[in-house]
Amino acid sequence: VPVDDNVPAPPPTIGVVGAGQLGRMLHQAAIGPGLRLRFLAASAGDCTVAVHPDHDLGSALDAAALTAFAGTVDVVTFEHEVIDLEALDRLVAAGAVLRPGPQAMRAVADKLDMRAAVAAAGLPIPPWRRADTVVDVVEALADWPDAVLKLSRGGYDGRGVFMVSGVDEARAVAGEVFSAGTPLLVEPRLAFEAEAAVIVARRPGGETVVYDPVATTQVDGQCRQVVAPSGLGDAIDEQARSMGQAVAEALDVVGLVAVEFFVVDGELSVNELAVRPHNTGHHGIDACVTSQFENHLRAVADLPLGDPRLRSPAAMVNVIGDGDVDPRDRLAAAMALDSGARIHLYGKGPRHDRKLGHVTVCDIDVERAAERAWRVVAALGGQKAGSGA
Amino acid sequence: VPVDDNVPAPPPTIGVVGAGQLGRMLHQAAIGPGLRLRFLAASAGDCTVAVHPDHDLGSALDAAALTAFAGTVDVVTFEHEVIDLEALDRLVAAGAVLRPGPQAMRAVADKLDMRAAVAAAGLPIPPWRRADTVVDVVEALADWPDAVLKLSRGGYDGRGVFMVSGVDEARAVAGEVFSAGTPLLVEPRLAFEAEAAVIVARRPGGETVVYDPVATTQVDGQCRQVVAPSGLGDAIDEQARSMGQAVAEALDVVGLVAVEFFVVDGELSVNELAVRPHNTGHHGIDACVTSQFENHLRAVADLPLGDPRLRSPAAMVNVIGDGDVDPRDRLAAAMALDSGARIHLYGKGPRHDRKLGHVTVCDIDVERAAERAWRVVAALGGQKAGSGA
């Protein structure tokens, strides 16, 4: 149903499946325009619950919980992909409004489906193979002695991603990993020059806005640093923008799509997709006119999208748990160090390798922005630059 | 107790007395740094309650409610002044930490006390008299034929403020108003060139930051528009900054102090004070490195203060209820009109003359920023520029 923006009508109540830090930042973004949210939280300890008054408790893998939750809201969206995909089809058949829809959720919940969807959209992807057995893995390693094995489902933030060198190591890892029961995606380890990402927001009618592409730094599959603008040159930025839009259209995404790229020989290939707010857009809370979180909500509520432009060059560095140091105890030291740094803590208990927050610095000099952000992260007790997960 | 910012320690839980739009924006600001808030809400319908999970219900005029609330938090702060001042003294005597303290709350809760406190600090104030009887008012009107009568306590947003011309009108208004039982502040109606305001944040140890002074436009005592920078010239801005700091020190404010000024013949005099987040600082959510709301929380939690600088010239226009139009129903039209406008709605039901939200536009051209903000406010159904309350 096309929406006429000039007809007075209250915005819908938005149900968000998931209640982690993305939910928390969605809530923060909803307060300004006054959009009403409800969350489906897996646990009362989820970090959105501490800051938002209205949630159901239930698993996104439980069809009954999803169905009950959908019945309490006008439109359903998602802040993670670990959901019962079959339940989504039944919800749509029963008249629920899902944004994004099941077709987009399916394309991101399984890395093998993702590769197929991106290829079908005519976009470049890295070499890849599906492996259902240890023999498949060993065969792939014959061609690619340094490879990456990825669980097709359920991985996130570097979990479910395994770097292997040589047949023996691959065989050992694959033997363990197949016990998890999902097939693997096998890729050669690419000698990329850089990693980039772009975020596109898209409304039901097809209206889109595209954020400035960013350059990202990952360690063992976990995002550590994002800088905007990317500094990778106009040609690469333009590729990123047009591929981002192509993915949004191919998957008929409503909400956000984040596309992560490898840069090899000056050309992009699509590495990962997400159809939700993404770590590569967190800087926008402080650096963009309209954050990815607000534009996700606007898109999902079928409201006109906000200006995505950067207000300033910026760097974002994640606060990754280092031992049992709690960044909340280091807030005063971090604030004393840099009065302009924007500190975001997610209210999560400390755990090694866990994303506990992020720091954004806006600075006309983007390298200085990154240095400042890393210093504040160190003061908060997060893992230092260059340290692995 | 002086705090060493380098000693790891969790930040305090902050209790906020009041749960209106200022509480709502304090909560929004607390999510980033992960500060824990509790609210004392007068009603479950207060607009903070819809977005925050943790409050007590009770009146700030009820000593027992205040005492019970203070017992659940580490430090108590305020988002309005309609409180039991005597209870505050007893709370401090019993060991509660109030920021700001009773001395500052007293100086802002009563306009007669406020004038005395500002004068004692050696700062210029407009001519004024205290009136306890209709005869006092009539005598004042003999000197000032166009005058303003203000209830010393309980007024806000233009309520409790009466413009009168001539003795007959003054007698009629005063006769009605004295039935409320508080004395009046009588002032001549000043032919001011402009109105200005400044906000200062101050930590327990005396560390302060000062926001850029702004120019404000009031209609019948209600703030309608704020522009930053003020455009009133360096000399006036410098006076505003130094008077703001003087007030913060004189009242030993911890938290924020907002000082409103009249500009007469190029000189400032202090018109009003508040020791909480203030309407003349709302633009800072979108226009400053660190908003007044975050710096209020930092000050109250004894955390290092954030950079208060403007990132861009900006204009803020209030959404004042116009009849029974609900701005929430007009969100799509307003967003369609200007993709860069920052729309803030407080989740309050529509009522004529009620502050329902505000719109901030950041624009290198501050006059254009104001025009854009007014257009968006009109699209939201707020009162138009020039219309009285």
XYZ file of all heavy atoms in Angstrom, chain A residues 5-11 24 27-28 31-35 49-53 286-287 289-290 294 298 303-307 311-312 328-333 335-336 339-345 362, chain B residues 5-6 8-11 24 27-28 31-35 49-53 286-287 289-290 294 298 303-307 311-312 328-333 335-336 339-345 362:
721
model
N 2.744 10.729 2.211
C 3.370 11.370 3.367
C 2.583 12.579 3.857
O 2.837 13.087 4.936
C 4.796 11.802 3.013
C 5.699 10.592 2.795
O 5.355 9.503 3.273
O 6.731 10.758 2.137
N 1.637 13.053 3.040
C 0.904 14.247 3.456
C -0.392 13.950 4.198
O -1.058 14.856 4.661
C 0.616 15.127 2.242
C 1.885 15.826 1.795
O 2.591 16.410 2.625
N 2.201 15.743 0.523
N -0.741 12.675 4.271
C -1.959 12.317 5.005
C -1.597 12.093 6.471
O -0.775 11.239 6.775
C -2.591 11.034 4.420
C -3.795 10.608 5.257
C -2.983 11.263 2.967
N -2.188 12.885 7.394
C -1.849 12.707 8.807
C -2.177 11.304 9.281
O -3.268 10.795 9.022
C -2.726 13.748 9.523
C -3.072 14.756 8.483
C -3.147 13.987 7.185
N -1.226 10.668 9.935
C -1.427 9.321 10.477
C -0.335 9.056 11.493
O 0.804 9.460 11.277
C -1.364 8.289 9.355
N -0.663 8.397 12.592
C 0.383 8.106 13.573
C 1.345 7.061 13.030
O 0.928 6.160 12.299
C -0.394 7.565 14.774
C -1.690 7.087 14.226
C -1.977 7.885 12.987
N 2.646 7.173 13.340
C 3.595 6.164 12.881
C 3.296 4.822 13.544
O 2.699 4.775 14.624
C 4.958 6.691 13.334
C 4.734 8.019 13.955
C 3.276 8.212 14.165
N 19.584 -1.407 21.523
C 19.813 -0.279 22.430
C 20.005 1.020 21.645
O 19.429 2.064 21.983
C 21.070 -0.615 23.235
C 21.367 0.247 24.407
C 22.553 -0.397 25.152
N 23.208 0.535 26.032
C 23.121 0.501 27.364
N 22.429 -0.429 27.967
N 23.743 1.397 28.101
N 16.759 2.130 20.029
C 15.919 2.831 21.013
C 16.382 4.277 21.183
O 15.575 5.213 21.192
C 15.966 2.099 22.340
C 15.354 2.847 23.489
N 14.148 3.513 23.393
C 15.791 3.054 24.766
C 13.867 4.093 24.560
N 14.844 3.829 25.388
N 17.688 4.450 21.307
C 18.235 5.802 21.456
C 17.799 6.682 20.278
O 17.451 7.851 20.462
C 19.760 5.693 21.515
C 20.486 6.973 21.859
C 22.000 6.754 21.859
O 22.539 5.906 21.140
N 22.688 7.516 22.687
N 13.950 7.841 20.287
C 13.472 8.836 21.260
C 13.267 10.188 20.594
O 12.277 10.867 20.857
C 14.444 8.927 22.458
C 14.434 7.608 23.249
C 14.077 10.106 23.372
C 15.472 7.542 24.368
N 14.189 10.593 19.704
C 14.057 11.892 19.040
C 12.728 12.012 18.309
O 11.845 12.778 18.732
N 12.523 11.250 17.251
C 11.248 11.377 16.530
C 10.051 10.797 17.272
O 8.919 10.937 16.802
C 11.504 10.605 15.222
C 12.670 9.713 15.500
C 13.485 10.386 16.560
N 10.292 10.177 18.415
C 9.168 9.701 19.221
C 8.516 8.448 18.665
O 7.308 8.248 18.839
N 9.303 7.594 18.014
C 8.750 6.348 17.473
C 8.633 5.313 18.581
O 9.504 5.193 19.437
C 9.651 5.824 16.346
C 9.782 6.797 15.169
C 10.805 6.291 14.166
C 8.431 7.010 14.504
N 17.247 -4.144 27.368
C 16.212 -4.211 28.412
C 16.495 -3.219 29.542
O 15.561 -2.663 30.131
C 16.101 -5.667 28.941
C 15.172 -5.758 30.141
C 15.636 -6.599 27.816
N 17.772 -2.965 29.807
C 18.135 -2.038 30.881
C 17.768 -0.592 30.570
O 17.751 0.243 31.482
C 19.638 -2.133 31.158
N 17.493 -0.289 29.297
C 17.216 1.108 28.928
C 15.855 1.311 28.262
O 15.519 2.431 27.875
C 18.321 1.696 28.011
C 19.675 1.686 28.725
C 18.403 0.949 26.679
N 15.087 0.235 28.103
C 13.803 0.353 27.401
C 12.713 -0.362 28.191
O 12.941 -1.445 28.712
C 13.914 -0.252 25.994
C 12.699 0.015 25.146
N 11.595 -0.798 25.155
C 12.424 1.012 24.296
C 10.683 -0.296 24.331
N 11.162 0.796 23.799
N 11.512 0.219 28.259
C 10.519 -0.326 29.181
C 9.611 -1.416 28.635
O 8.784 -1.931 29.378
C 9.681 0.904 29.526
C 9.763 1.772 28.324
C 11.103 1.510 27.698
N 27.256 9.953 15.678
C 27.912 11.228 15.973
C 28.363 11.973 14.727
O 28.590 13.177 14.789
C 29.126 10.973 16.877
C 28.713 10.264 18.156
O 27.934 10.855 18.924
O 29.124 9.110 18.369
N 28.516 11.260 13.616
C 29.171 11.876 12.454
C 28.233 12.163 11.288
O 28.612 12.917 10.399
C 30.333 10.999 11.977
N 24.344 13.307 9.555
C 23.144 14.098 9.837
C 22.069 13.182 10.430
O 21.455 13.505 11.455
C 22.632 14.794 8.560
C 21.344 15.564 8.851
C 23.694 15.729 7.988
N 21.856 12.040 9.795
C 20.882 11.057 10.281
C 21.615 9.733 10.451
O 22.235 9.246 9.504
C 19.735 10.866 9.271
O 19.267 12.152 8.858
C 18.588 10.067 9.874
N 18.427 5.695 13.055
C 17.205 6.442 12.768
C 16.685 6.111 11.382
O 15.468 5.937 11.196
C 17.439 7.956 12.915
C 16.152 8.731 12.657
C 16.233 10.213 12.971
O 16.982 10.599 13.897
O 15.542 10.983 12.281
N 13.074 4.820 10.268
C 12.256 5.563 9.293
C 11.840 4.643 8.149
O 10.681 4.648 7.713
C 13.039 6.753 8.734
C 13.257 7.893 9.726
C 13.819 9.082 8.952
N 14.213 10.206 9.794
C 14.164 11.473 9.386
N 13.772 11.776 8.163
N 14.545 12.449 10.188
N 8.540 5.996 6.706
C 8.646 7.451 6.830
C 9.759 7.931 5.888
O 10.689 7.171 5.582
C 8.998 7.837 8.272
C 7.897 7.625 9.310
C 8.457 7.709 10.732
C 6.776 8.658 9.121
N 9.691 9.181 5.442
C 10.737 9.696 4.542
C 12.121 9.570 5.195
O 12.268 9.807 6.397
C 10.337 11.163 4.356
C 8.853 11.172 4.576
C 8.606 10.159 5.657
N 13.105 9.208 4.392
C 14.440 8.956 4.934
C 15.170 10.262 5.216
O 14.924 11.286 4.583
C 15.230 8.100 3.939
C 14.571 6.742 3.645
C 15.349 5.996 2.567
C 14.460 5.904 4.913
N 16.086 10.190 6.192
C 16.866 11.366 6.586
C 18.166 11.449 5.799
O 18.679 10.454 5.288
N 18.695 12.657 5.756
C 19.965 12.947 5.077
C 21.080 12.081 5.684
O 21.353 12.166 6.876
C 20.265 14.437 5.292
C 21.503 14.922 4.562
O 22.287 14.089 4.068
O 21.695 16.154 4.513
N 28.832 14.682 8.531
C 29.013 16.071 8.952
C 30.484 16.381 9.138
O 30.884 17.560 9.174
C 28.280 16.305 10.274
C 26.807 15.974 10.203
C 26.146 16.143 11.549
N 26.226 17.520 11.981
C 25.876 17.951 13.186
N 25.408 17.093 14.077
N 25.990 19.221 13.504
N 31.288 15.342 9.323
C 32.722 15.509 9.614
C 33.396 14.184 9.319
O 32.782 13.132 9.473
C 32.902 15.847 11.094
O 34.229 15.586 11.521
N 33.178 0.253 32.097
C 32.357 1.186 32.888
C 33.131 1.745 34.064
O 32.874 2.854 34.532
C 31.083 0.479 33.364
C 30.136 0.170 32.210
C 28.969 -0.681 32.642
N 29.380 -2.048 32.958
C 28.557 -3.076 33.101
N 27.250 -2.873 32.960
N 28.994 -4.280 33.378
N 34.083 0.954 34.566
C 34.904 1.425 35.694
C 35.975 2.411 35.244
O 36.627 3.035 36.086
C 35.593 0.237 36.376
C 34.601 -0.726 37.001
O 33.439 -0.327 37.212
O 34.990 -1.885 37.264
N 36.201 2.512 33.919
C 37.276 3.359 33.395
C 36.742 4.611 32.712
O 37.476 5.291 32.000
C 38.114 2.562 32.378
C 38.535 1.180 32.837
C 39.494 1.286 34.015
N 39.891 -0.025 34.512
C 41.062 -0.603 34.275
N 41.972 0.031 33.570
N 41.334 -1.791 34.769
N 35.449 4.859 32.899
C 34.813 5.961 32.168
C 35.455 7.310 32.487
O 35.702 8.124 31.583
C 33.317 5.972 32.521
C 32.334 6.670 31.608
C 32.487 6.272 30.151
C 30.904 6.385 32.085
N 35.751 7.546 33.766
C 36.318 8.849 34.147
C 37.675 9.061 33.483
O 37.950 10.136 32.935
C 36.439 8.953 35.669
N 38.517 8.038 33.506
C 39.842 8.170 32.882
C 39.716 8.426 31.388
O 40.433 9.253 30.815
C 40.664 6.910 33.143
N 37.123 9.737 29.747
C 36.564 11.071 29.495
C 37.603 12.164 29.754
O 37.628 13.184 29.073
C 35.339 11.304 30.369
C 34.113 10.523 29.892
S 32.705 10.730 31.060
C 31.347 10.077 30.062
N 38.459 11.940 30.763
C 39.484 12.933 31.090
C 40.509 13.054 29.967
O 41.092 14.118 29.747
C 40.178 12.545 32.402
N 38.096 15.190 25.721
C 36.761 15.718 26.023
C 35.851 15.702 24.796
O 34.645 15.893 24.921
C 36.857 17.138 26.574
O 37.284 18.018 25.551
N 36.433 15.462 23.605
C 35.613 15.448 22.401
C 35.246 14.059 21.923
O 34.461 13.915 20.990
N 35.807 13.034 22.535
C 35.511 11.662 22.105
C 34.093 11.292 22.507
O 33.624 11.661 23.584
C 36.502 10.688 22.735
N 33.409 10.572 21.640
C 32.041 10.136 21.923
C 32.108 8.669 22.343
O 32.401 7.789 21.542
C 31.155 10.303 20.680
C 31.176 11.719 20.083
C 30.680 12.779 21.013
N 29.358 12.443 21.482
C 28.896 12.686 22.702
N 29.659 13.299 23.600
N 27.687 12.337 23.037
N 31.848 8.435 23.619
C 31.986 7.101 24.201
C 30.618 6.427 24.250
O 29.660 7.001 24.780
C 32.586 7.210 25.617
C 34.006 7.784 25.528
C 32.582 5.840 26.310
C 34.620 8.113 26.877
N 30.554 5.221 23.706
C 29.312 4.435 23.722
C 29.597 3.102 24.389
O 30.380 2.303 23.868
C 28.814 4.202 22.288
C 28.506 5.473 21.551
N 27.227 5.949 21.395
C 29.316 6.386 20.961
C 27.266 7.098 20.729
N 28.521 7.378 20.445
N 28.998 2.876 25.533
C 29.134 1.586 26.213
C 27.777 0.914 26.209
O 26.745 1.565 26.360
C 29.640 1.782 27.643
C 31.027 2.424 27.753
C 31.437 2.562 29.216
C 32.071 1.607 26.987
N 35.134 12.601 15.853
C 35.009 13.415 14.642
C 36.177 14.392 14.624
O 36.406 15.091 15.628
C 33.689 14.185 14.641
S 32.234 13.110 14.591
N 40.148 10.873 38.697
C 39.586 10.283 37.482
C 40.345 9.047 37.029
O 39.877 8.320 36.161
C 39.585 11.316 36.355
C 38.625 12.453 36.642
O 37.705 12.258 37.467
O 38.796 13.528 36.057
N 41.525 8.826 37.594
C 42.312 7.670 37.145
C 42.085 6.418 37.966
O 42.632 5.368 37.657
C 43.789 8.034 37.119
C 44.087 8.938 35.933
O 43.672 8.648 34.823
N 44.749 10.042 36.198
N 39.927 3.393 38.871
C 38.751 2.708 38.309
C 37.617 2.621 39.324
O 37.836 2.245 40.480
C 39.277 1.310 37.970
C 40.751 1.461 37.841
C 41.130 2.537 38.831
N 36.446 3.006 38.922
C 35.271 2.949 39.803
C 34.038 3.055 38.929
O 34.032 3.812 37.957
C 35.301 4.093 40.808
N 32.979 2.304 39.233
C 31.763 2.421 38.427
C 31.101 3.766 38.675
O 31.134 4.278 39.796
C 30.886 1.274 38.935
C 31.403 0.948 40.290
C 32.853 1.343 40.341
N 30.495 4.355 37.653
C 29.789 5.626 37.856
C 28.567 5.411 38.748
O 28.033 4.305 38.818
C 29.374 6.055 36.457
C 29.906 5.048 35.503
C 30.417 3.889 36.261
N 13.371 12.776 29.634
C 13.440 11.948 28.426
C 14.747 12.190 27.668
O 15.410 11.248 27.230
C 12.230 12.331 27.565
C 11.921 11.461 26.405
C 10.592 11.954 25.805
N 10.402 11.470 24.465
C 9.522 10.513 24.131
N 8.756 9.974 25.033
N 9.409 10.123 22.879
N 17.698 10.780 29.579
C 17.811 9.332 29.336
C 18.476 9.055 27.996
O 19.382 8.215 27.882
C 16.419 8.696 29.385
C 16.382 7.285 28.917
N 17.312 6.340 29.290
C 15.537 6.637 28.067
C 17.030 5.181 28.708
N 15.970 5.340 27.966
N 18.047 9.778 26.980
C 18.643 9.603 25.653
C 20.157 9.827 25.713
O 20.927 9.078 25.106
C 17.984 10.603 24.701
C 18.345 10.444 23.242
C 17.657 11.499 22.392
O 17.406 12.625 22.835
N 17.345 11.153 21.160
N 22.296 6.899 27.483
C 22.471 5.604 26.813
C 23.883 5.483 26.245
O 24.508 4.430 26.362
C 21.400 5.414 25.722
C 20.008 5.298 26.369
C 21.699 4.176 24.879
C 18.853 5.232 25.370
N 24.406 6.563 25.635
C 25.754 6.492 25.061
C 26.793 6.075 26.096
O 27.332 4.969 26.023
N 27.068 6.899 27.085
C 28.078 6.524 28.080
C 27.626 5.412 29.023
O 28.425 4.933 29.833
C 28.332 7.831 28.842
C 27.145 8.677 28.592
C 26.619 8.293 27.244
N 26.386 4.990 28.911
C 25.930 3.866 29.725
C 25.704 4.229 31.175
O 25.882 3.389 32.061
N 25.292 5.471 31.442
C 25.022 5.880 32.828
C 23.649 5.384 33.248
O 22.692 5.412 32.478
C 25.102 7.406 32.943
C 26.481 7.972 32.571
C 26.455 9.494 32.550
C 27.545 7.461 33.541
N 8.536 8.161 31.171
C 8.164 6.792 31.562
C 7.964 5.885 30.342
O 8.271 4.694 30.390
C 6.899 6.832 32.459
C 6.387 5.432 32.759
C 7.198 7.590 33.752
N 7.514 6.483 29.238
C 7.273 5.684 28.026
C 8.560 5.180 27.393
O 8.525 4.279 26.554
C 6.492 6.502 27.006
N 9.705 5.764 27.781
C 10.963 5.372 27.118
C 12.021 4.865 28.090
O 13.136 4.541 27.676
C 11.563 6.545 26.284
C 10.596 6.956 25.174
C 11.930 7.738 27.164
N 11.706 4.808 29.375
C 12.709 4.400 30.383
C 12.092 3.376 31.328
O 10.949 3.531 31.739
C 13.199 5.623 31.164
C 14.361 5.317 32.048
N 14.219 4.828 33.318
C 15.684 5.390 31.824
C 15.416 4.619 33.851
N 16.323 4.957 32.962
N 12.871 2.360 31.711
C 12.253 1.241 32.442
C 12.219 1.369 33.963
O 11.671 0.476 34.607
C 13.151 0.060 32.053
C 14.486 0.670 31.797
C 14.236 2.059 31.285
N 22.005 18.129 18.701
C 22.414 17.952 17.314
C 23.563 18.863 16.904
O 24.240 18.577 15.922
C 21.207 18.215 16.391
C 20.048 17.303 16.735
O 20.209 16.080 16.610
O 18.993 17.805 17.168
N 23.778 19.944 17.656
C 24.716 20.956 17.169
C 26.006 21.039 17.966
O 26.964 21.655 17.493
C 24.031 22.329 17.147
N 29.293 19.278 20.329
C 30.055 18.035 20.495
C 29.449 17.218 21.636
O 29.221 16.011 21.504
C 31.542 18.336 20.768
C 32.311 17.037 20.999
C 32.156 19.129 19.618
N 29.182 17.884 22.746
C 28.565 17.224 23.899
C 27.322 18.015 24.266
O 27.404 19.217 24.496
C 29.523 17.209 25.118
O 30.813 16.772 24.687
C 29.003 16.296 26.224
N 24.073 15.446 28.290
C 25.196 14.595 28.679
C 26.084 15.303 29.694
O 26.523 14.686 30.670
C 26.010 14.172 27.449
C 27.138 13.224 27.852
C 27.891 12.607 26.688
O 27.266 12.345 25.641
O 29.098 12.365 26.829
N 27.251 14.100 33.316
C 28.672 13.984 33.670
C 28.976 14.775 34.929
O 29.672 14.299 35.829
C 29.558 14.491 32.528
C 29.585 13.598 31.291
C 30.663 14.112 30.341
N 30.698 13.436 29.059
C 31.830 13.255 28.340
N 32.985 13.736 28.787
N 31.795 12.649 27.182
N 31.993 13.145 36.646
C 32.834 12.663 35.545
C 33.372 13.883 34.787
O 32.736 14.948 34.791
C 32.006 11.788 34.596
C 31.587 10.424 35.143
C 30.491 9.803 34.273
C 32.791 9.484 35.238
N 34.524 13.735 34.134
C 35.082 14.871 33.375
C 34.077 15.381 32.339
O 33.385 14.587 31.699
C 36.318 14.260 32.707
C 36.706 13.119 33.599
C 35.410 12.553 34.114
N 34.025 16.693 32.176
C 33.020 17.295 31.300
C 33.422 17.157 29.842
O 34.608 17.098 29.506
C 32.824 18.759 31.679
C 32.366 18.957 33.133
C 32.309 20.443 33.476
C 31.014 18.299 33.364
N 32.427 17.122 28.970
C 32.662 16.991 27.533
C 32.764 18.348 26.866
O 32.256 19.354 27.375
N 33.390 18.342 25.711
C 33.581 19.538 24.890
C 32.214 20.143 24.552
O 31.385 19.478 23.929
C 34.315 19.114 23.616
C 34.665 20.266 22.696
O 34.176 21.388 22.912
O 35.421 20.023 21.737
N 29.264 22.483 16.735
C 29.833 21.863 15.541
C 29.383 22.613 14.292
O 30.001 22.479 13.239
C 29.373 20.415 15.444
C 29.719 19.593 16.672
C 29.190 18.185 16.556
N 29.799 17.515 15.422
C 29.425 16.321 14.974
N 28.431 15.669 15.566
N 30.022 15.772 13.945
N 28.313 23.370 14.425
C 27.727 24.058 13.276
C 26.796 25.128 13.816
O 26.211 24.964 14.889
C 26.907 23.056 12.454
O 25.986 23.733 11.607
N 2.648 14.038 16.129
C 3.031 12.660 15.791
C 2.334 12.189 14.519
O 2.857 11.360 13.791
C 2.708 11.729 16.958
C 3.600 12.005 18.162
C 3.170 11.209 19.376
N 1.900 11.718 19.911
C 1.428 11.397 21.117
N 2.115 10.559 21.901
N 0.288 11.906 21.554
N 1.141 12.740 14.270
C 0.411 12.373 13.049
C 0.979 13.066 11.812
O 0.597 12.733 10.695
C -1.070 12.744 13.183
C -1.766 11.979 14.298
O -1.230 10.936 14.728
O -2.843 12.436 14.740
N 1.831 14.072 12.024
C 2.351 14.875 10.901
C 3.820 14.579 10.621
O 4.478 15.325 9.891
C 2.212 16.378 11.222
C 0.842 16.800 11.713
C -0.192 16.615 10.603
N -1.536 16.939 11.086
C -2.170 18.054 10.749
N -1.607 18.927 9.955
N -3.381 18.273 11.220
N 4.340 13.514 11.249
C 5.773 13.225 11.160
C 6.212 12.999 9.717
O 7.256 13.503 9.279
C 6.068 11.999 12.029
C 7.490 11.742 12.499
C 8.130 12.957 13.137
C 7.480 10.562 13.487
N 5.427 12.251 8.953
C 5.815 11.942 7.573
C 5.910 13.225 6.745
O 6.887 13.428 6.013
C 4.826 10.959 6.945
N 4.932 14.087 6.878
C 4.949 15.335 6.112
C 6.149 16.190 6.493
O 6.810 16.795 5.639
C 3.650 16.108 6.340
N 9.039 15.165 7.834
C 10.285 14.548 7.379
C 10.448 14.706 5.872
O 11.572 14.864 5.379
C 10.305 13.068 7.763
C 10.531 12.831 9.256
S 10.430 11.047 9.662
C 11.126 11.049 11.339
N 9.339 14.646 5.133
C 9.406 14.782 3.671
C 9.855 16.181 3.275
O 10.488 16.377 2.237
C 8.037 14.470 3.059
N 14.937 16.779 4.778
C 15.574 15.522 5.207
C 16.695 15.760 6.211
O 17.167 14.817 6.837
C 16.115 14.761 3.997
O 17.218 15.458 3.446
N 17.115 17.023 6.369
C 18.198 17.298 7.308
C 17.721 17.835 8.645
O 18.524 17.981 9.570
N 16.439 18.121 8.776
C 15.925 18.667 10.044
C 15.925 17.574 11.102
O 15.625 16.418 10.812
C 14.520 19.214 9.846
N 16.272 17.942 12.307
C 16.276 16.992 13.423
C 15.003 17.234 14.237
O 14.860 18.256 14.904
C 17.521 17.184 14.288
C 18.829 17.154 13.507
C 19.104 15.836 12.811
N 19.025 14.756 13.770
C 18.554 13.543 13.505
N 18.106 13.243 12.293
N 18.526 12.622 14.423
N 14.101 16.276 14.168
C 12.784 16.404 14.796
C 12.789 15.689 16.140
O 13.161 14.518 16.222
C 11.698 15.811 13.870
C 11.642 16.617 12.571
C 10.339 15.783 14.580
C 10.757 15.992 11.505
N 12.384 16.405 17.171
C 12.303 15.834 18.521
C 10.876 16.006 19.021
O 10.415 17.133 19.210
C 13.272 16.552 19.469
C 14.707 16.440 19.041
N 15.587 15.557 19.619
C 15.414 17.071 18.077
C 16.770 15.658 19.029
N 16.696 16.576 18.096
N 10.194 14.896 19.202
C 8.837 14.938 19.774
C 8.884 14.259 21.134
O 9.579 13.270 21.322
C 7.847 14.246 18.843
C 7.694 14.878 17.455
C 6.676 14.110 16.620
C 7.291 16.355 17.563
N 20.812 22.380 11.649
C 22.195 22.848 11.567
C 22.430 23.307 10.139
O 22.149 22.562 9.195
C 23.166 21.711 11.918
S 23.016 21.154 13.626
